[in-house]
Amino acid sequence: MTVPLSGVPLADHAAVYTALADAGFTDVWSAEVNGTDGFTPLTLAAAWEPRLSLGTAIAPVFTRGPGLLAMTAAALAETAPGRFQLGIGASSPVVVGDWNATDFDRPLDRSRDMLRLLRAALAGEQVDEAFATFTVKRFRLERPPAVPPRLMLAALRPGMLRLAAAEADGVILNWLAASDVPTALAETKEAGPGFEVATRIFLIPTEDAAWARTVGRRLITSYLTVPAYAAFHRWLGRGEALTPMWQAWAAGDRKGALAAIPDALVDELIVHGSPEQCRDRVRAYADAGVTVPIMALTPTPELDRGGLPALLELITELGPTTT
């Protein structure tokens, strides 16, 4: 499950983490955009619920310096030995440039350099090297973790997917249908044994299909108009289906962009329906090769009305141990 959950204060997440573990969820994964940072919710989970594994999806490679990212990862790995995976990625020009005042330059090279820096630093080695995108002089972690975290790389297209296969312990996918997973994984066939495949899956747990599709269209225009995701879906073969939306968006016609998204495309990319239907759709990702399917829960009117008790009940219904 992606955490923190919308509408629940961080201080109240102890009950959420317990409910997730009781329901059979194995992992909680954070995101880092403009809500919480990626590490605080996981630190709370490490302290409150030792049954859960932890992961960042993702910590951007541009928004923290190399030494700071290594220290932050080392601290969480020390807090939850053997339970933490560090997912990193390029993020986007908006997050990196507009919100964090940092140049979004050469994202593949920066990702490769950060992978190599983190691999060495988290193993307790001194790093003194001029990488392609930054130089680090005589850096060594004072508290290297006894169990270094596995390193995951977010990837959308062939170059980054191949980098993940060559130098990371796993890949993080996002915004794709279960039917797209084999296309992405074809670029990681050179990965070694134990290579993890994590995928964030947007989930709207309501049987009101019209409402779910309305929300789904808003999500799609928010993400798939970003150049990297637009290029990703062109590569996946959705250029023709998405061109009307892109054209309307570029012309400033937001309503037209929403209207240009067909129901079938929303249903491909957004999981919605009853808890049982949602579980079946998530299993389809696992059947396609995803080893860590990560639900990203979107609030619904039912959840808004029911508050935390309704959310905890839904977690139980969505859990993989539910029969």
Side-chain angles (χ1 to χ4, degrees), residues 24-50:
F25 285 85
T26 58
D27 294 47
V28 289
W29 288 71
S30 63
E32 190 167 270
V33 183
N34 62 345
T36 66
D37 70 280
F39 293 90
T40 301
L42 301 185
T43 303
L44 293 173
W48 288 338
E49 186 44 81

Side-chain angles (χ1 to χ4, degrees), residues 61-62 64-66 102-117 129-136:
V61 297
F62 288 100
R64 292 177 180 82
T102 300
D103 291 337
F104 186 82
D105 185 39
R106 300 169 63 188
L108 189 146
D109 291 340
R110 175 80 177 201
S111 299
R112 181 199 60 228
D113 292 347
M114 195 66 85
L115 274 174
R116 293 175 179 178
L117 173 284
E129 185 172 345
F131 295 89
T133 59
F134 55 77
T135 297
V136 173

Side-chain angles (χ1 to χ4, degrees), residues 19 54 70 72 81 84 110 123 139 186 227 231 249 251 267 276 311 318:
L54 320 168
T72 308
F84 172 51
R110 175 80 177 201
F139 175 76
W249 189 268
D267 295 346
E276 182 179 5
L311 181 58
L318 289 173

Side-chain angles (χ1 to χ4, degrees), residues 286-321:
D287 292 342
V290 172
T291 60
V292 187
I294 307 168
M295 296 181 186
L297 188 61
T298 300
T300 65
E302 298 93 329
L303 291 177
D304 290 341
R305 288 192 298 268
L308 184 58
L311 181 58
L312 298 179
E313 181 180 352
L314 175 65
I315 287 171
T316 299
E317 293 174 341
L318 289 173
T321 58

